[in-house]
Amino acid sequence: MSTARTQGERLSALEERVANVKDDVADLKASVASVRKDVTEIKDILTQAKGGWRVLVVIGGLAGSATTALLWLIGKIWPFISGLPR
């Protein structure tokens, strides 16, 4: 009888461990889902930032080109406006 009791105790201990492992697996699944959501949000933010940098570079290039053209034009026209000999 003591052998059967020992086996029964072992069986109940194993069942308890399996239940604990199932709970741990459920917690891990929830954690992984949370991490996936966070990674997706970070990916979306980085994608938006990449597009934002491209827009800023284009605007900066256009502004620099327009400023250069304006200064060149002023340099060519200024002597005629001011009446000074060149």
Side-chain angles (χ1 to χ4, degrees):
M1 261 277 204
S2 62
T3 308
R5 179 181 281 170
T6 306
Q7 288 177 355
E9 289 173 354
R10 287 182 180 175
L11 183 60
S12 66
L14 286 175
E15 288 174 348
E16 185 178 336
R17 285 184 182 178
V18 168
N20 289 339
V21 169
K22 284 183 180 181
D23 292 340
D24 291 343
V25 168
D27 291 342
L28 286 174
K29 284 182 180 181
S31 295
V32 168
S34 175
V35 169
R36 282 184 181 172
K37 180 182 173 189
D38 292 342
V39 168
T40 302
E41 289 176 7
I42 291 170
K43 180 182 168 187
D44 292 342
I45 290 170
L46 288 176
T47 301
Q48 291 173 358
K50 187 188 301 182
W53 280 108
R54 288 178 184 163
V55 169
L56 288 176
V57 167
V58 168
I59 290 173
L62 291 174
S65 297
T67 303
T68 302
L70 181 66
L71 291 175
W72 177 82
L73 185 62
I74 289 172
K76 291 293 183 181
I77 296 175
W78 186 253
F80 296 113
I81 295 174
S82 66
L84 296 175
R86 193 168 175 162

